[in-house]
Amino acid sequence: MTLVFTPRYAGYAAAVRASFERQGVLMAWGAELLEVAPGTVVLRLPFSDRVTQQQGFFHGGVVASLADSAGGYAAMTMLDEGLEIVSVEYKVNFLAPAVGDELIATGTLVRAGKRLLVSTAEVDVVRGGDMRPCALLQQTLAPSVPAGASSAS
Amino acid sequence: MTLVFTPRYAGYAAAVRASFERQGVLMAWGAELLEVAPGTVVLRLPFSDRVTQQQGFFHGGVVASLADSAGGYAAMTMLDEGLEIVSVEYKVNFLAPAVGDELIATGTLVRAGKRLLVSTAEVDVVRGGDMRPCALLQQTLAPSVPAGASSAS
Amino acid sequence: MTLVFTPRYAGYAAAVRASFERQGVLMAWGAELLEVAPGTVVLRLPFSDRVTQQQGFFHGGVVASLADSAGGYAAMTMLDEGLEIVSVEYKVNFLAPAVGDELIATGTLVRAGKRLLVSTAEVDVVRGGDMRPCALLQQTLAPSVPAGASSAS
Amino acid sequence: MTLVFTPRYAGYAAAVRASFERQGVLMAWGAELLEVAPGTVVLRLPFSDRVTQQQGFFHGGVVASLADSAGGYAAMTMLDEGLEIVSVEYKVNFLAPAVGDELIATGTLVRAGKRLLVSTAEVDVVRGGDMRPCALLQQTLAPSVPAGASSAS
């Protein structure tokens, strides 16, 4: 399916960026926000010893977290002003060992309901000049009022 | 279902512990291995600014990573000597905001096939003296030969 | 986790039964409602050539549908009067080939939020006097107003 | 990601068709195989009272079964001669109520490993001349030797 999304307010990209920069775990890993467009967000994560599993590759949980964030922010581009996004649930398949210099996660919104949104995300691992898919995620998200202990359910 | 598992060799718990300690991301977060028993593993993660999302709670990706590790190591207790475990895929539901002092993840093996294993994991968040479920995970795992770039598929 | 649920009205079991009997696909398969209790529902499905896959076993989609219905109705026991339940999404693992005379699906509610609920379901296949797990499901559900084309999102 | 798949033998499409026609549940529903190409399979399911849920729409379990079959057969196009495909697990999101005259499920292979394959599937519901997405599935599959009680694990 090919979908066209029209954001609800001009500052949607700035809101995504501000939220991204408050994520302690992504900041600790050195993640970067490469692109924010309506229904699409691209993130980058460089390799370091803070993101490895027992064999020295990118950890699956790190790969999934980056995918979850990319898909979540893709959904956030379609929220009303002042709302944050929270993940209700997600499912991730690991397609290949994440061995390389950096991860690129591309999140894509596929359904923007009022109470629930659905995104997918693909993660590619870059090694030398080569780029290959290493994970695929599908997730359910919900809008959340940011102040206080709001819940996904 | 209630299942009883008999490990294949005496050193299964030491193997889990050695693998756990080589996980860069879990070490960077300060995760601890509380319990290793046949088909069951319990992990602990203290709160810090290295594991937060944009509202200052435990990040969903961190919660899921801990659950993935607990379920994965629960499965590893039933592998033959010399094998590691890799996650093929997982699905996680977030049940409540992870606001608290520490996370406790309990992984439980539910199916030990030769080529594929299935585990579930529950994560509880501890706040003051109170403990409540915050995430539920279901995952597929595969045995992996640790040396070199072995793949889940 | 062990949870105790208190239904919102006396007729919750009758409402589940009435909804179950309007499900064309379950009726066509000959499914039965064995038990309705707060947060728990048990369904039974006898083998027939209407529910097989290419090797003559119970079809995975049938197994998953029964699990989805069991988990969904387990959630419905906790809704307010007049509400139906809809599945937002689910994930199912097949643990063993579903070869046998009947399936027993047990749905269990694990989280009852106002807008979203989470259930798990286990399906066992019965062959002769033997009963073994063949599928495990984890799902997200939402309350729905039954009249008209209400949506999960 | 855009992938190009080259089948292992000329009769791959005939093998998919033969397997499809042995699926009792799909035959009972009147499902049709519209297209078989390397890494892609399209199925069609007409509306009837054998496939409904309690509100008279297509049942979610039916929608998911069709998606599972489309994704599974998309994977089967890449197997060696003589092998069947089995679903290890899947996850499905329901995007909109499946109200309409027929379902079209398109399965797409995204990863063809030796022991595990990963597919996605989209289901669209057709109503009058209109076609809209109603479900999205992501699944793990494994090759299976068809004779006897082969297992996904």
Side-chain angles (χ1 to χ4, degrees):
Chain A
M1 60 188 121
T2 309
L3 300 168
V4 177
F5 293 107
T6 308
R8 312 292 176 84
Y9 64 109
Y12 75 92
V16 165
R17 193 164 296 275
S19 172
F20 176 79
E21 290 172 356
R22 287 198 307 277
Q23 299 232 24
V25 68
L26 295 181
M27 294 302 102
W29 289 342
E32 292 167 54
L33 187 55
L34 294 190
E35 187 188 329
V36 183
T40 307
V41 161
V42 183
L43 303 179
R44 176 184 174 272
L45 183 69
F47 185 78
S48 77
D49 61 11
R50 294 187 301 276
V51 295
T52 56
Q53 38 80 286
Q54 73 280 4
Q55 298 170 317
F57 310 158
F58 282 99
H59 192 281
V62 172
V63 174
S65 295
L66 198 72
D68 175 36
S69 294
Y73 283 127
M76 191 179 160
T77 64
M78 282 303 297
L79 294 188
D80 288 331
E81 190 162 5
L83 293 180
E84 286 271 4
I85 196 88
V86 295
S87 290
V88 170
E89 61 81 37
Y90 61 78
K91 182 259 201 290
V92 60
N93 272 85
F94 300 105
L95 306 178
V99 187
D101 312 313
E102 62 179 26
L103 300 177
I104 302 291
T106 304
T108 306
L109 180 60
V110 296
R111 161 84 177 138
K114 250 181 226 175
R115 288 171 293 169
L116 293 172
L117 304 94
V118 178
S119 286
T120 60
E122 180 185 319
V123 184
D124 296 278
V125 62
V126 184
R127 191 184 196 177
D130 191 50
M131 187 164 166
R132 62 182 296 195
C134 66
L136 194 63
L137 176 139
Q138 185 172 320
Q139 68 188 151
T140 309
L141 305 125
S144 161
V145 179
S150 63
S151 162
S153 50
Chain B
M1 61 188 122
T2 308
L3 301 168
V4 177
F5 294 107
T6 308
R8 311 292 176 84
Y9 64 110
Y12 75 93
V16 165
R17 194 165 295 275
S19 172
F20 177 79
E21 289 172 357
R22 287 197 308 276
Q23 300 231 23
V25 67
L26 295 181
M27 294 301 102
W29 289 342
E32 293 168 54
L33 188 54
L34 294 190
E35 187 188 328
V36 183
T40 306
V41 161
V42 184
L43 303 179
R44 178 185 172 271
L45 182 69
F47 185 78
S48 77
D49 61 9
R50 293 187 303 275
V51 295
T52 57
Q53 38 81 287
Q54 73 280 3
Q55 298 171 316
F57 309 158
F58 281 98
H59 193 280
V62 172
V63 174
S65 295
L66 198 72
D68 175 38
S69 294
Y73 284 126
M76 191 178 160
T77 64
M78 282 303 297
L79 295 188
D80 286 333
E81 190 162 6
L83 294 179
E84 286 270 5
I85 196 88
V86 294
S87 290
V88 170
E89 60 81 38
Y90 61 80
K91 181 261 203 287
V92 60
N93 272 83
F94 300 105
L95 305 179
V99 187
D101 311 315
E102 62 178 26
L103 300 176
I104 302 292
T106 304
T108 306
L109 180 60
V110 297
R111 160 86 178 136
K114 247 181 227 176
R115 287 171 295 169
L116 293 173
L117 304 95
V118 178
S119 286
T120 60
E122 180 185 319
V123 184
D124 296 277
V125 62
V126 183
R127 191 185 196 177
D130 192 50
M131 187 165 168
R132 60 182 295 194
C134 67
L136 195 63
L137 177 138
Q138 186 173 319
Q139 68 189 150
T140 310
L141 305 124
S144 162
V145 180
S150 63
S151 161
S153 50
Chain C
M1 60 188 121
T2 309
L3 300 168
V4 178
F5 294 107
T6 309
R8 311 292 176 83
Y9 65 110
Y12 75 93
V16 165
R17 192 164 297 274
S19 172
F20 176 79
E21 289 172 358
R22 286 198 307 277
Q23 300 231 23
V25 67
L26 295 181
M27 294 302 103
W29 288 342
E32 293 167 54
L33 188 54
L34 294 190
E35 186 187 329
V36 183
T40 306
V41 161
V42 184
L43 303 179
R44 177 184 173 272
L45 182 70
F47 185 78
S48 77
D49 61 10
R50 294 188 302 275
V51 295
T52 57
Q53 37 80 288
Q54 73 279 3
Q55 298 171 317
F57 310 158
F58 281 99
H59 192 281
V62 172
V63 174
S65 295
L66 197 73
D68 175 36
S69 293
Y73 283 127
M76 191 179 159
T77 64
M78 282 304 296
L79 295 188
D80 287 332
E81 190 162 7
L83 293 179
E84 286 270 4
I85 198 86
V86 294
S87 290
V88 169
E89 60 81 39
Y90 61 79
K91 181 259 203 290
V92 60
N93 274 83
F94 299 105
L95 305 178
V99 187
D101 312 313
E102 62 178 26
L103 300 177
I104 301 292
T106 304
T108 306
L109 179 62
V110 296
R111 161 85 177 136
K114 249 181 228 175
R115 288 172 293 170
L116 293 172
L117 304 94
V118 177
S119 287
T120 61
E122 180 186 318
V123 184
D124 296 277
V125 63
V126 183
R127 191 183 196 178
D130 191 48
M131 188 165 167
R132 61 182 296 195
C134 66
L136 195 62
L137 176 139
Q138 185 172 319
Q139 69 187 151
T140 310
L141 305 124
S144 161
V145 179
S150 63
S151 161
S153 50
Chain D
M1 60 189 123
T2 308
L3 301 168
V4 177
F5 294 107
T6 308
R8 311 292 176 84
Y9 65 110
Y12 75 93
V16 165
R17 193 164 297 274
S19 172
F20 177 79
E21 289 172 358
R22 285 198 308 276
Q23 300 232 20
V25 67
L26 295 181
M27 294 302 102
W29 288 342
E32 293 168 53
L33 187 55
L34 295 190
E35 187 187 327
V36 183
T40 306
V41 161
V42 184
L43 304 179
R44 176 185 173 272
L45 182 69
F47 185 78
S48 77
D49 60 11
R50 294 187 301 275
V51 295
T52 57
Q53 37 80 286
Q54 73 280 4
Q55 299 170 317
F57 310 157
F58 282 99
H59 192 281
V62 172
V63 174
S65 295
L66 197 73
D68 175 37
S69 293
Y73 283 127
M76 191 179 159
T77 65
M78 282 303 297
L79 294 188
D80 287 332
E81 191 163 5
L83 293 179
E84 286 270 5
I85 197 86
V86 295
S87 290
V88 170
E89 60 81 37
Y90 61 80
K91 181 259 202 287
V92 60
N93 272 83
F94 299 105
L95 305 178
V99 187
D101 311 314
E102 62 178 27
L103 300 177
I104 302 292
T106 304
T108 306
L109 180 60
V110 296
R111 162 87 177 135
K114 248 181 229 175
R115 286 171 294 168
L116 293 173
L117 304 94
V118 178
S119 287
T120 60
E122 181 186 318
V123 184
D124 296 277
V125 62
V126 183
R127 191 184 196 178
D130 192 50
M131 187 164 166
R132 60 181 298 194
C134 66
L136 195 63
L137 177 139
Q138 185 173 319
Q139 68 189 150
T140 309
L141 305 123
S144 162
V145 179
S150 62
S151 161
S153 49

